[in-house]
């Protein structure tokens, strides 16, 4: 029978072999954390390799994702659909084993990691999801939601500020089923971290309200086992297990050194490492008895089956709750969703008031939220400004089964990454909110939501110089354009309550990608539309005024500037100029439409085009062409009332009219 060291060495061998074959990668962490991984995966992790999507599985997150071969080795050894050939294909094009773990590329990968610190933040979201679901659905004797979230993280994750944001909140929320292993090896790319990372990390986490288990020998299975048992016994606080390890463990010349962190060990050093570990097998060869000892399929199937039986008993005792739980975990919409939302939008079109779109957003939440108990979210200490608290909001900390609102505090990055984890866990539709200008603080979390992709709705209010007196530090100029450049992120900038409701409807329905809703502080008028026109909003752009197939000019606008476009069109038409106004709340969706529709909205034969948006102008050049003009703001704002600023920066009806006249008079 293989010993624990033998089983851990199987991880080490596969990891260093795959990195060497790829001629790139990070062998140091897998060699250093192999003993911890062996104890966790063989004795504690609840999972089923044959059913990676089992709802009540434990979640395992490799926050230090550069050590991805540790995870791929574990998946292969325990029985997931990761073959030896997949390991040999490490870091190659279209493989299941990319350089950093990527969600959706391989079974068992719970989230995309690599940008340090975000994995632990995602895990906080997953642990929060488990806690809220358990509170909502479990009953006495029926714990259908009962799993843990396990995280591996390194010094780099703890240096990144997002780890502070997320871990601080995790302690406040009392996420007792979140257990993190700190790979305390004292080495990063630049060498020994004592020169730049001298924090008292255990004290830091104790201050957050975590249970901290100090001084664990990360190469002693008995100490690791005891630490895990202690962590599992604590149900009110998350746990940090501080594991002292040796990076590149087993490598005679590179262990304990930065040289083992991010480069292949080399053939000669691998041979020496094999000898030092007592591993005399060929590259990628794992003895049969080792594979049998690692195989988790039987145990996983038994645990999965037992849960299914428990779910059957629960379903008999609580049929309504069971049906709702299954609907939510399947990601299905309520049966009457389409009928209800269409009626809401029609009502808004018929009788909606002139309001700021941040208020329109709250109205949409009030209307749609009661149908979606899976809706969960919050704001970065700006709830009253973002209008994210709707009439059905209940603090997740209030102890009731209806908790659905998170007070994130001033943690834009952490909030965003936590919501990514909420979306990945299943059973929830998360949203997060802040001022648009502070989306920069959350930027990499937003990017990761699109890259993963994770269903996450980013609500950004105070969208332009229109917020007024707070001045240029709070007035976004380049932000909408930069968000539109993120692949797979659906960016909405609605002009009134109807467009806002449509944006929310689509964002709630389309759960394979994230959405960003960009909303005003200032009030905006409701625009007139017929039913067919309302139906075209979701296509990203539509004709709001001027259905003539050959207008003299086209004005394209979004958000608050649609009002300017409509007033300018009215004035120009009084002068005899035929003008089409195109509202384009979502440029990406419009560009994804078929050519026929795009040409219908923006006829190629009409070169006289003007785009107007209170932001940088460069984004719009492709829409107006060489002859067209763009009215926007290519400088930082100023502190003054909104009306004064719009006039100062040339966002006026006069300016729009002059631009249209210039395009018509140009050669």
């Amino acid at each position: 029978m293989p010993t624990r060291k033998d089983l851990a060495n199987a991880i080490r061998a596969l990891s260093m072999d795959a990195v060497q074959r790829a001629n790139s990668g990070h062998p140091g962490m897998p060699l250093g954390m192999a003993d911890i991984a062996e104890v966790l995966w063989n004795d504690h992790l609840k999972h089923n390799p044959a059913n990676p999507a089992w709802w009540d599985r434990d979640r395992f997150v490799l926050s230090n994702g550069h050590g991805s071969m540790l995870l791929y080795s574990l998946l292969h050894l325990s029985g997931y659909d990761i073959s030896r050939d997949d390991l040999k294909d490490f870091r190659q094009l279209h493989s299941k084993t990319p350089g950093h773990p990527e969600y959706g590329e391989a079974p068992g990968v719970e989230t995309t990691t690599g940008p340090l610190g975000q994995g632990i933040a995602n895990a906080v979201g997953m642990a929060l999801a488990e806690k809220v679901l358990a509170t909502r659905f479990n009953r006495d004797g029926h714990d259908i939601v009962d799993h843990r979230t396990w995280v591996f993280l390194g010094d780099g994750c703890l240096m990144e500020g997002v780890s502070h944001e997320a871990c601080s909140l995790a302690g406040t929320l009392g996420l007792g089923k979140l257990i993190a292993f700190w790979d305390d090896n004292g080495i990063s790319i630049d060498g020994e971290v004592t020169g730049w990372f001298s924090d008292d990390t255990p004290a830091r986490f104790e201050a957050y309200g975590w249970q901290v288990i100090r001084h664990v020998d990360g190469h002693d299975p008995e100490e690791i086992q005891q630490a895990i048992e202690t962590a599992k016994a604590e149900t009110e606080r998350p746990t940090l297990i501080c594991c002292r390890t040796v990076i590149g463990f087993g490598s005679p010349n590179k262990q304990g050194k930065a040289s083992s962190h991010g480069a292949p060990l080399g053939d000669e050093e691998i041979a020496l490492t094999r000898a030092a570990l007592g591993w005399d097998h060929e590259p990628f060869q794992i003895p049969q008895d080792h594979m049998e000892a690692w195989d988790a399929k039987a145990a996983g199937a038994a645990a999965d089956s037992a849960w299914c039986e428990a779910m059957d008993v629960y379903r008999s005792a609580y049929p309504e709750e069971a049906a709702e739980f299954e609907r939510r975990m399947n990601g299905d919409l309520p049966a009457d969703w389409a009928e209800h939302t269409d009626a809401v939008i029609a009502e808004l079109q018929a009788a909606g008031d002139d309001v700021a779109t941040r208020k329109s957003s709250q109205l949409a939440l009030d209307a749609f939220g009661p149908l979606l108990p899976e809706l969960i979210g919050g704001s970065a200490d700006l709830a009253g400004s973002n209008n994210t608290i709707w009439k059905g909001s209940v603090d997740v900390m209030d102890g009731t089964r209806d908790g659905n609102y998170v007070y994130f505090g001033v943690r834009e990055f952490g909030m965003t990454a936590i919501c990514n984890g909420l979306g990945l866990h299943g059973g929830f539709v998360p949203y997060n909110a802040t001022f648009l200008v502070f989306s920069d603080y959350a930027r990499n979390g937003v990017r990761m939501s699109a890259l993963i992709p994770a269903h996450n709705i980013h609500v950004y209010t105070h969208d332009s110089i229109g917020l007024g007196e707070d001045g240029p530090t709070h007035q976004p100029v380049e932000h909408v354009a930069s968000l539109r450049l993120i692949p797979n992120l659906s960016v909405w900038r609605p002009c009134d309550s109807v467009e806002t409701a449509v944006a929310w409807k689509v964002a709630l329905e389309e759960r394979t990608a994230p959405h960003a809703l960009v909303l005003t502080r200032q009030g905006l008028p409701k625009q007139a539309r017929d039913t067919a026109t309302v139906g075209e909003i979701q296509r990203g752009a539509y004709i709001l005024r001027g259905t003539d197939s050959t207008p003299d000019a086209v004005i394209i606008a979004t958000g608050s500037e649609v009002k300017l476009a409509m007033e300018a069109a009215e004035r120009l038409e009084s002068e005899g100029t035929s003008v089409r106004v195109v509202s384009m709340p979502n440029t990406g969706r419009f560009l994804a439409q078929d050519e026929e529709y795009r040409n219908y909205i923006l006829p190629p034969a009409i070169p006289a085009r003007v785009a107007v948006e209170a932001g940088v102008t460069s984004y719009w050049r492709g829409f107006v062409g060489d002859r067209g003009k763009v009215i926007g703001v290519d400088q930082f704002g100023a502190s003054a009332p909104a009306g004064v600023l719009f006039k100062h920066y040339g966002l006026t009806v006069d300016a729009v009219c002059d631009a249209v006249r210039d395009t018509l008079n140009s050669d």
Side-chain angles (χ1 to χ4, degrees), residues 375-378 388 390 393 405 419 429-433 456-457 459 504:
L375 190 65
I376 188 170
T388 48
W390 55 285
S393 293
Y405 193 84
C419 285
V429 173
Y431 66 93
N432 63 92
N456 192 355
I457 302 172
V459 180
W504 263 110

Side-chain angles (χ1 to χ4, degrees), residues 5 8 12 31-39 152 181-184 215-225 241-246 249:
K5 283 295 182 184
R12 293 185 171 104
L31 271 64
M33 295 195 80
D35 296 301
I36 307 167
E38 187 278 321
V39 175
F152 278 12
F181 298 83
W182 170 31
D183 182 27
D184 180 17
H215 308 305
V216 175
D217 183 344
H219 302 297
D220 184 334
E222 291 185 4
E223 286 197 24
I224 298 165
Q225 187 78 264
I241 302 176
C242 305
C243 298
R244 190 65 185 176
T245 64
V246 177
F249 181 90

Side-chain angles (χ1 to χ4, degrees), residues 110-179:
E110 299 286 0
T111 183
T112 300
T113 57
L116 295 176
Q118 289 202 61
I120 178 62
N122 293 168
V124 171
M126 294 175 186
L128 176 59
E130 192 277 343
K131 181 174 182 175
V132 177
L133 276 176
T135 301
R136 170 65 180 85
F137 289 103
N138 287 353
R139 299 294 185 271
D140 289 343
H142 299 275
D143 291 337
I144 60 165
V145 181
D146 184 15
H147 55 266
R148 291 181 171 83
T149 303
W150 308 87
V151 189
F152 278 12
L153 51 81
D155 294 323
C157 291
L158 294 177
M159 283 186 254
E160 288 287 0
V162 67
S163 72
H164 161 75
E165 295 183 25
C167 293
S168 169
L169 186 60
T172 301
L173 295 174
L175 302 181
K177 290 184 179 177
L178 173 64
I179 301 173

Side-chain angles (χ1 to χ4, degrees), residues 238 324 365 452 503 553 560 568 637:
E324 176 63 14
L365 284 169
I452 291 171
S560 50

Side-chain angles (χ1 to χ4, degrees), residues 113-442:
T113 57
L116 295 176
Q118 289 202 61
I120 178 62
N122 293 168
V124 171
M126 294 175 186
L128 176 59
E130 192 277 343
K131 181 174 182 175
V132 177
L133 276 176
T135 301
R136 170 65 180 85
F137 289 103
N138 287 353
R139 299 294 185 271
D140 289 343
H142 299 275
D143 291 337
I144 60 165
V145 181
D146 184 15
H147 55 266
R148 291 181 171 83
T149 303
W150 308 87
V151 189
F152 278 12
L153 51 81
D155 294 323
C157 291
L158 294 177
M159 283 186 254
E160 288 287 0
V162 67
S163 72
H164 161 75
E165 295 183 25
C167 293
S168 169
L169 186 60
T172 301
L173 295 174
L175 302 181
K177 290 184 179 177
L178 173 64
I179 301 173
F181 298 83
W182 170 31
D183 182 27
D184 180 17
N185 60 36
I187 297 292
S188 65
I189 292 175
D190 283 349
E192 296 184 9
V193 301
T194 52
W196 51 87
F197 184 50
S198 59
D199 305 13
D200 186 345
T201 296
R204 166 187 163 189
F205 274 76
E206 286 170 344
Y208 292 157
W210 288 51
Q211 173 183 228
V212 176
I213 303 173
R214 301 172 181 242
H215 308 305
V216 175
D217 183 344
H219 302 297
D220 184 334
E222 291 185 4
E223 286 197 24
I224 298 165
Q225 187 78 264
Q226 183 178 354
I228 293 175
E229 293 291 355
T230 302
K232 291 169 67 174
E234 172 58 62
T235 60
E236 301 300 321
R237 295 177 295 167
T239 297
L240 178 70
I241 302 176
C242 305
C243 298
R244 190 65 185 176
T245 64
V246 177
I247 191 171
F249 181 90
S251 170
N253 298 302
K254 295 188 177 182
Q255 69 176 8
K257 300 177 181 178
S259 57
S260 70
H261 174 88
L265 297 179
D267 290 330
E268 292 184 8
E269 188 66 17
I270 287 177
L272 293 172
T273 304
R274 276 183 151 77
L277 295 173
W279 187 267
D280 58 0
H281 311 289
E282 294 297 313
F284 295 101
Q285 296 300 312
I286 306 297
Q288 184 60 33
D289 60 345
H290 289 51
M291 292 298 296
E292 291 172 357
W294 265 107
D295 193 339
K297 292 194 291 293
D304 193 341
S305 178
W307 180 83
C308 289
E309 291 176 5
M311 187 66 195
D312 287 340
V313 175
Y314 178 84
R315 190 179 295 108
S316 296
Y318 302 98
E320 292 184 5
E321 289 83 353
E324 176 63 14
F325 175 72
E326 291 170 336
R327 181 192 70 78
R328 288 176 58 168
M329 294 305 293
N330 281 321
D332 297 332
L333 288 163
D336 56 350
W337 171 258
E339 179 182 357
H340 177 83
T341 53
D342 288 347
V344 167
I345 292 169
E347 182 178 349
L348 286 171
Q349 184 58 59
D353 296 326
D354 296 354
V355 294
T357 51
R358 63 169 175 164
K359 180 61 178 177
S360 299
S361 173
Q362 187 178 49
L363 295 174
L365 284 169
D366 284 340
F368 300 155
L371 267 69
L372 292 173
E374 61 264 48
L375 190 65
I376 188 170
S379 166
D381 201 47
L382 288 168
S385 295
N386 298 147
N387 292 116
T388 48
I389 295 179
W390 55 285
K391 62 185 179 184
S393 293
V394 177
D395 186 354
V396 295
M397 294 291 285
D398 82 339
T400 73
R401 289 185 174 139
D402 299 321
N404 61 4
Y405 193 84
V406 184
Y407 288 91
F408 285 106
V410 187
R411 297 181 174 97
E412 292 89 355
F413 193 178
M415 169 185 70
T416 304
I418 288 168
C419 285
N420 287 344
L422 279 163
L424 288 167
H425 179 279
F428 291 100
V429 173
Y431 66 93
N432 63 92
T434 187
F435 288 173
L436 176 60
V437 75
F438 300 138
S439 65
D440 277 351
Y441 282 141

